[in-house]
Amino acid sequence: MRTVEHWFTVPLDHFAPEGPSAPAAETITVFAREYVSAAHSEEAAAALPWLLFLQGGPGGRGNRWASLGGWAKAAAADFRILMLDQRGTGLSTPIDRHTLPARGDAAEQAAYLEHFRADSIVADAELIRAALESPPWTIYGQSYGGFCALTYLSFAPEGLREALITGGLAPLTGSADDVYRATFQRVAARNEEYFGWYPEDRHRVERIARHLRSTTEIMPDGAPLTVERFQMAGAFLGGNTRVDSLHYLLEDAFVDTPGGPRLSDSFLDQLQGLVSRRSNPLYALMHESIYGQGEATAWSAWRILGENPWFRPDAEPLLLTGEMVYPWYFEQDPALQPLREVAELLAAKQDWKPLYDPRALAANTVPVAAAVYTDDIYVDRDLSLRTAAAVRGLQAWETADFHHDGIADDGERIFGRLLGMARSGSR
């Protein structure tokens, strides 16, 4: 493959008032990397249409590929792929515990973060498309990237040739509470399914929980491992083949020491990558805001957890959790502790702008194809199909063959099917 790095200067606030009396607009930098198959000559590649990939998250940077495989290999046969680092991630004016305090106090930091949602990401994309002198292009949104695709269809459909979405049909209306009521149920069912496959892991999970209640174990980040942080290992449950990695993690849990059984360094190292948001703090800060439209999210997952006491860290048997974000993240994760007050302000914010235009979507004319995963524990199937029905012309392909990370398992097949659906207008 060949790559080209692209840098763009965009307004921090795309929606600020304009005019002679308006203050000078602040700008940020957005980065994207172009991937082209070496099977195309440079001249032929320059004539290919663009495909913009919108990564999952929020807070996830664009993929860094060493070679083209899976869906990217399939797409590169006919497209130039533009891998976007969404604002605040990767090389796009990154946000973390070191950079955010430069904005000022917690209130100023929270106000800054208001400009890092899907509406701003879409506005960035349209400026980038114009800078590349591209006609309406194809977008491919995975997970949160699919949410961004719906925002794109709502407010800038003129920029789109077609939209492909995998595991990312967001609810257009309603509150975050609706999302978590649905996904808590799916995570509970997934726990039951997993322990049916690996009954010995039920004992392992209980043993780890009992151990943590009586013994201090320190993570590589210097913080104690608590039962609730251990429950975050349930992130593995959202995968089709990745779920087996949970079993491999648990079998590494204990080693015998002169002082008795302790959690192994191997286990703690593997778990660290699941329980820390050091590399993507925007995920924790902004996660519930992706559902915020006109009302505060108010730590929705934490409140709905109260309706699902079987997920509590003192519950027996212990269940593993999904991608929910709780207030204690900002107490127990050293990388998030400096951002605790900012997180509280974002959770309390009531005047979030709309992310979707249901009327525009009901009148949509852009070809759209979406994969809906029947047992997805992160983006609920029923809510997804409700959204699919509200977008004119959207072709939905429901399948139980994959989970949320389906494009990592058989991306070539999924991409090919969705592109074919979008261009043929049929399932």
Side-chain angles (χ1 to χ4, degrees):
M1 67 184 186
R2 293 189 301 273
T3 64
V4 181
E5 285 68 49
H6 297 274
W7 304 84
F8 307 93
T9 299
V10 302
L12 170 66
D13 184 357
H14 286 279
F15 314 105
E18 299 179 355
S21 61
E26 181 179 354
T27 61
I28 61 173
T29 298
V30 171
F31 171 80
R33 180 173 279 113
E34 172 186 348
Y35 291 93
V36 178
S37 171
H40 302 292
S41 68
E42 291 191 21
E43 182 180 13
L48 292 173
W50 287 99
L51 180 147
L52 174 70
F53 184 69
L54 296 168
Q55 180 63 279
R61 70 177 188 172
N63 294 320
R64 268 60 174 168
W65 290 322
S67 62
L68 293 174
W71 76 262
K73 181 179 179 181
D78 300 300
F79 294 96
R80 284 185 284 177
I81 300 170
L82 192 67
M83 180 60 64
L84 178 67
D85 279 355
Q86 297 167 16
R87 53 170 52 202
T89 74
L91 299 178
S92 295
T93 310
I95 290 173
D96 63 19
R97 63 195 170 111
H98 301 296
T99 64
L100 194 55
R103 302 303 306 185
D105 63 19
E108 291 168 309
Q109 293 174 43
Y112 179 66
L113 289 171
E114 293 175 16
H115 306 300
F116 288 79
R117 295 205 307 161
D119 50 355
S120 295
I121 293 169
V122 167
D124 289 343
E126 275 297 275
L127 284 184
I128 291 169
R129 186 177 67 84
L132 295 174
E133 300 181 343
S134 171
W137 57 10
T138 301
I139 60 171
Y140 189 16
Q142 157 65 14
S143 188
Y144 175 63
F147 290 30
C148 294
L150 289 169
T151 302
Y152 216 140
L153 289 162
S154 293
F155 301 117
E158 67 279 3
L160 301 178
R161 175 184 178 183
E162 60 217 349
L164 313 178
I165 297 171
T166 51
L169 288 179
L172 303 179
T173 59
S175 70
D177 292 9
D178 299 332
V179 173
Y180 292 115
R181 285 195 175 95
T183 53
F184 267 118
Q185 299 304 310
R186 293 204 180 274
V187 177
R190 187 64 163 162
N191 270 265
E192 182 177 0
E193 185 176 36
Y194 175 80
F195 290 119
W197 293 331
Y198 293 110
E200 66 273 28
D201 286 354
R202 165 51 62 205
H203 168 72
R204 288 171 173 153
V205 165
E206 296 302 323
R207 184 186 178 195
I208 293 168
R210 288 194 303 270
H211 177 80
L212 292 174
R213 293 180 186 120
S214 62
T215 305
T216 300
E217 295 280 5
I218 302 299
M219 297 290 291
D221 63 9
L225 175 59
T226 60
V227 175
E228 51 265 43
R229 285 190 99 189
F230 165 58
Q231 286 178 283
M232 294 169 68
F236 279 131
L237 296 174
N240 200 41
T241 56
R242 196 165 59 99
V243 67
D244 298 302
S245 298
L246 175 59
H247 174 67
Y248 302 142
L249 170 71
L250 295 173
E251 70 181 6
D252 276 348
F254 284 97
V255 292
D256 292 326
T257 76
R262 299 298 298 263
L263 294 180
S264 71
D265 286 344
S266 174
F267 174 81
L268 294 173
D269 279 344
Q270 293 174 74
L271 196 61
Q272 178 70 61
L274 294 173
V275 306
S276 174
R277 296 300 176 195
R278 180 183 300 270
S279 64
N280 60 341
L282 274 180
Y283 181 90
L285 284 167
M286 303 298 291
H287 192 266
E288 289 197 354
S289 81
I290 68 178
Y291 303 109
Q293 298 188 91
E295 62 181 344
T297 55
W299 296 115
S300 176
W302 182 243
R303 290 184 292 101
I304 302 305
L305 176 67
E307 302 173 9
N308 297 270
W310 41 88
F311 280 101
R312 288 176 52 88
D314 57 356
E316 293 185 3
L318 187 74
L319 296 185
L320 303 176
T321 57
E323 65 172 3
M324 296 77 171
V325 174
Y326 306 118
W328 56 258
Y329 277 28
F330 295 86
E331 300 168 3
Q332 297 190 21
D333 186 339
L336 296 180
Q337 288 169 356
L339 306 175
R340 180 178 177 182
E341 188 177 353
V342 180
E344 292 289 351
L345 291 171
L346 292 171
K349 180 178 171 59
Q350 298 183 21
D351 57 345
W352 291 112
K353 297 175 183 177
L355 292 169
Y356 314 108
D357 183 341
R359 288 185 297 179
L361 293 172
N364 172 63
T365 59
V366 176
V368 188
V372 176
Y373 304 128
T374 302
D375 301 307
D376 196 328
I377 68 170
Y378 296 150
V379 180
D380 179 70
R381 172 258 187 199
D382 296 340
L383 295 178
S384 294
L385 292 180
R386 188 181 306 169
T387 294
V391 180
R392 181 173 178 266
L394 186 150
Q395 301 292 324
W397 166 39
E398 183 183 353
T399 175
D401 290 346
F402 304 101
H403 276 260
H404 191 69
D405 62 350
I407 62 171
D409 291 333
D410 196 353
E412 192 167 357
R413 172 189 165 197
I414 292 171
F415 176 82
R417 177 157 182 167
L418 291 180
L419 184 63
M421 288 167 57
R423 293 192 170 176
S424 69
S426 65
R427 303 184 184 189

